[in-house]
Structure formats: structure tokens, C-alpha cells
């Protein structure tokens, strides 16, 4: 039988019947070679920079891997398109960081890059054996994001209604005392995750969402990325501070706030090993102020364009 993935350890994770037969992005192209979910350059550079040859898989110290998962998911044209999205981030940010140079600022290209990875994370998670028992729930939560991202990546729409928040790890090292940081974990790890949750005005006891809001997040070495539906933080009580990094895209660079660490701790379900957050007071990350959200939906257009 033909192998589904690039490594034996990943073979058992995917459901064979769920594997694609045509390109998942354009839906018509013939499948090309194994394509990485997290781009190949990431592991290659982290190996070089850390002088390690293999990494823990899913933070499991029993399982060491020498590569991130790859499976046949796209045609050559679509794979090539994704490679062009990688170029700016790889050359101007990632490689510069690990060469000890000052990385260039985030720009528009990084938005496309982050959306392309978020889309790959949804498309691959859908095919995991672990997802199968809750397949319908997964689809209800993530299929809208998947199709909006796919249409955007296929140039069929101009906006994909998801915001990209980027966090360079330097923002953490500059603001958190050294003894609370696991330096190796912060610099040389890759992580990825999907989480979904309902929101409510918890003080007024009003449900504000009927379906779970999806969060797609990943960390590739020196950068964390959070992909959220537009206006995700509107009405939140916790303090998230960011600067818009693009005129045309919903792309933001996060600043350090203690609440950001609390949010990350919650998002990673207690597996935020890079930073010790024991002194950070946790808040409700599912609470939103109802009038703020209503104003956004029914109020002036101005509120929609205000950065959070
Ligand atoms: Zn294609």
C-alpha cells in the first residue's frame, strides 16, 4: 500500500479513506508530491540553529521526530503558489532571526502565509483518525473557515474574514523575567493547535454565539500566529494590544500584555511550556460584552474598522 505520509509515526494518525484524491485547494489539479503542513524550511532551520536532529512530537518526550508531517494534499500549481507566500517570511524574518540579524517587519505577504498554514491545519486535522468520532462537530465548526480561506487562497474573494495576529518571541523575552522562560522551548519549538469555544455575556447571562468560534494557532520557531475570525476580541474583558501591520489585510502584531499570556495559557490547555504563567491571573476568555458586540453588528460601520 502506498504510504500516506512522510514518516512511520504519522502513518497511524491519518484515516486512509479520508485522504485526498485531487488537490484540496483548487479541487481539480492532480496530486503532486508530499506537501508539508508546517513548511519544510521551519524544521530544517530549527535543527541547524539548535544543533538538534529530532524534536518531540506534540511535546511527547517518548516520541521524537525528524520532520513535520506531510501528505499529498495539493497539485503542483497550488504547492508552488504556497511556496511564494513563504518566501518573505522565510528570507526576511525567520532566517534573519536565526542568523542573529534583525528581522524585517511583518508585511502583507505574511498574512497570506499564515492563512495558507491555517488552511492546511484545518484540512489535515479533518483527516486525522482522532477527528473521526466527532467528524460532524468538526465540520460544523471549521468548514466555514476552511471554505473562506480556500476561496481567498484561490483568488476568488478579496477577503477571507479572518484576522492574523503575529507575536514575535522577542516581545516575550523583553517583558518576562528570564527565570520564567524556557529558552530552548521558546526558540526552537513548533506547535500547532485548533480550539473552538462559545462566547457569552457571562455577566448578563446571554449566549452570544450559536456555534463555536474556531481558533487556529501555531508557532514556528521565533513567531506565534493566531488566526481568528475578524473582530474576535471585540467586547472582551482581557487586554490584548496590537498594531495593524498592513493597510489592506487584517494583519496585526501583538504587544506583550499579561492578559496575552493568560489567553495563551488558556488556548494551549495548560501546555504552554515555553513560559511559566503561574503568577498571571486567569480571566474569562469566553466572556464578551453584549452591547459592544451588538453595536458592532447593528451599529455604525466605524466600529468594524477600529483595530482592537
Ligand atoms: Zn491545485
Amino acid at each position: 500500500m502506498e504510504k500516506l505520509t512522510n514518516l512511520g509515526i504519522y502513518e497511524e494518525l491519518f484515516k486512509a479513506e479520508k485522504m485526498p484524491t485531487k488537490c484540496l485547494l483548487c479541487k481539480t489539479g492532480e496530486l503532486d508530491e508530499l506537501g508539508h503542513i508546517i513548511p519544510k524550511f521551519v524544521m530544517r532551520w530549527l535543527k541547524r540553529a539548535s544543533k538538534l536532529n529530532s524534536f518531540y512530537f506534540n511535546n511527547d518526550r517518548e516520541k521524537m521526530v525528524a520532520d513535520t508531517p506531510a501528505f499529498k494534499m495539493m497539485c503542483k500549481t497550488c504547492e508552488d503558489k504556497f511556496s511564494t507566500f513563504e518566501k518573505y517570511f522565510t528570507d526576511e524574518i525567520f532566517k534573519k532571526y536565526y542568523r542573529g540579524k534583525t528581522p524585517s517587519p511583518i508585511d502583507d505577504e505574511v498574512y497570506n502565509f499564515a492563512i495558507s498554514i491555517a488552511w492546511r491545519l484545518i484540512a489535515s486535522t479533518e483527516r486525522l483518525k482522532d477527528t473521526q468520532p466527532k467528524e460532524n462537530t468538526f465540520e460544523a465548526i471549521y468548514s466555514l473557515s476552511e471554505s473562506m480561506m480556500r476561496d481567498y487562497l484561490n483568488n476568488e474573494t478579496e477577503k477571507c474574514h479572518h484576522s492574523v495576529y503575529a507575536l514575535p518571541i522577542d516581545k516575550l523575552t523583553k517583558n518576562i523575567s528570564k527565570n520564567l522562560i524556557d529558552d530552548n522551548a521558546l526558540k526552537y519549538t513548533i506547535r500547532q493547535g485548533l480550539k473552538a469555544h462559545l462566547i457569552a455575556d457571562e455577566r448578563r447571562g446571554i449566549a452570544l454565539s450559536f456555534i463555536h468560534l474556531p481558533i487556529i494557532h501555531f508557532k514556528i520557531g521565533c513567531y506565534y500566529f493566531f488566526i481568528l475570525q475578524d473582530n474576535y476580541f471585540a467586547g472582551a474583558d482581557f487586554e490584548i494590544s496590537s498594531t495593524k501591520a498592513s493597510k489592506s489585510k487584517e494583519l496585526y502584531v501583538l504587544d506583550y500584555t499579561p492578559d496575552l499570556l493568560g489567553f495563551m495559557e488558556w488556548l494551549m490547555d495548560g501546555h504552554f511550556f515555553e513560559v511559566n504563567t503561574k503568577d498571571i491571573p486567569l480571566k474569562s476568555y469566553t466572556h464578551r460584552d453584549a452591547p459592544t458586540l451588538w453595536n458592532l453588528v447593528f451599529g455604525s460601520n466605524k466600529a468594524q474598522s477600529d483595530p482592537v
Side-chain angles (χ1 to χ4, degrees), residues 13-160:
L13 300 180
F14 287 93
K15 178 101 177 151
E17 303 88 274
K18 283 281 193 178
M19 297 315 259
T21 51
K22 290 274 181 194
C23 173
L24 290 178
L25 189 67
C26 67
K27 300 278 188 188
T28 53
E30 293 300 324
L31 291 173
D32 190 42
E33 293 168 7
L34 294 170
H36 283 75
I37 302 163
I38 298 286
K40 204 164 37 179
F41 77 86
V42 177
M43 185 69 120
R44 200 165 54 218
W45 273 76
L46 291 184
K47 277 183 188 174
R48 196 181 300 175
S50 65
K51 305 203 167 45
L52 295 168
N53 279 320
S54 56
F55 288 76
Y56 301 137
F57 175 64
N58 269 349
N59 287 308
D60 181 346
R61 289 172 193 229
E62 303 289 307
K63 291 181 183 170
M64 300 293 282
V65 289
D67 197 2
T68 51
F71 69 98
K72 288 185 182 181
M73 65 177 115
M74 282 182 284
C75 69
K76 176 108 179 56
T77 312
C78 293
E79 285 279 1
D80 288 349
K81 183 187 213 169
F82 277 16
S83 301
T84 62
F85 294 157
E86 282 172 32
K87 202 166 166 31
Y88 181 86
F89 183 80
T90 317
D91 295 343
E92 297 302 321
I93 297 172
F94 196 82
K95 289 184 184 174
K96 282 188 178 175
Y97 178 88
Y98 288 104
R99 281 179 177 138
K101 296 181 185 163
T102 308
S104 304
I106 287 272
D107 93 341
D108 283 21
E109 273 304 306
V110 177
Y111 180 85
N112 294 340
F113 171 65
I115 294 291
S116 80
I117 297 183
W119 175 79
R120 278 177 272 191
L121 285 173
I122 299 177
S124 55
T125 306
E126 195 184 324
R127 294 174 164 77
L128 294 176
K129 281 182 189 163
D130 272 359
T131 308
Q132 301 317 306
K134 40 187 189 247
E135 195 177 8
N136 293 340
T137 316
F138 185 88
E139 204 191 317
I141 296 169
Y142 294 101
S143 64
L144 185 61
S145 295
E146 189 277 330
S147 69
M148 287 197 283
M149 290 177 185
R150 175 161 36 81
D151 289 349
Y152 172 78
L153 294 164
N154 280 324
N155 303 323
E156 283 164 15
T157 51
E158 270 191 32
K159 293 193 186 295
C160 80

Side-chain angles (χ1 to χ4, degrees), residues 1-9 11 19 34 70-72:
M1 205 172 89
E2 196 189 4
K3 286 223 161 53
L4 306 175
T5 63
N6 52 335
L7 288 179
I9 191 169
E11 245 1 64
M19 297 315 259
L34 294 170
F71 69 98
K72 288 185 182 181

